[in-house]
Amino acid sequence: MIRLVPHPVMLGFVNGLALVLLKAQLTHFQDAGKFLSLFAPEGLATYGCAILTMALVKFGIPLFQEKVDAARAVPPTLGGVVIASVVAKVFKWPLKTLADVAGAETFKGGLAVLPKLGLPTSVWAPLVSSPIDTLKV
């Protein structure tokens, strides 16, 4: 099926998708519509974390995977994000978290936030009121 789509169309789609992702991620490097300053602690931490993650994905994790066979089970992108997150947490870098962006209520956790499982009352009502009449054909 994919053979029916011309190669230039696929390239255009993938490039357009890359631009949309880039634009969506650039908003995290802004504060009040302006890009974070490299001299401010928040800007330095944000740019530093991004550069650290990219360096780990491109160089660090692949080099580690060459030396340790078991490390090949972890994709470099996942390893880079996890290591950069741990470094940022250990050194207490002033980064925006998901809780800062979406609100702490979003991640409060617990069983109360899970949806209730069950059938609608319209299914149960006839069975509860008169189970014998429901089963008659």
Side-chain angles (χ1 to χ4, degrees):
M1 192 65 152
I2 196 68
R3 292 184 187 135
L4 299 175
V5 180
H7 189 67
V9 172
M10 286 191 295
L11 287 178
F13 174 77
V14 172
N15 288 337
L17 186 61
L19 290 175
V20 168
L21 289 171
L22 176 69
K23 186 173 188 276
Q25 291 178 359
L26 280 180
T27 60
H28 298 289
F29 290 88
Q30 296 176 348
D31 190 26
K34 293 184 176 183
F35 281 99
L36 295 170
S37 170
L38 192 56
F39 302 108
E42 295 85 12
L44 189 60
T46 303
Y47 295 126
C49 190
I51 291 169
L52 173 64
T53 304
M54 288 189 285
L56 285 169
V57 168
K58 185 68 177 170
F59 305 112
I61 304 296
L63 286 175
F64 185 67
Q65 287 177 335
E66 286 177 10
K67 297 179 191 291
V68 180
D69 289 335
R72 291 190 181 139
V74 177
T77 50
L78 178 62
V81 168
V82 168
I83 292 171
S85 298
V86 169
V87 167
K89 200 69 160 166
V90 167
F91 291 112
K92 294 181 176 60
W93 288 355
L95 296 171
K96 267 196 286 188
T97 63
L98 286 174
D100 297 335
V101 175
E105 309 85 40
T106 308
F107 301 101
K108 67 181 177 181
L111 294 177
V113 297
L114 294 175
K116 304 292 183 249
L117 298 177
L119 294 174
T121 55
S122 60
V123 173
W124 289 111
L127 292 173
V128 172
S129 62
S130 57
I132 300 299
D133 294 335
T134 305
L135 297 175
K136 287 183 183 175
V137 177

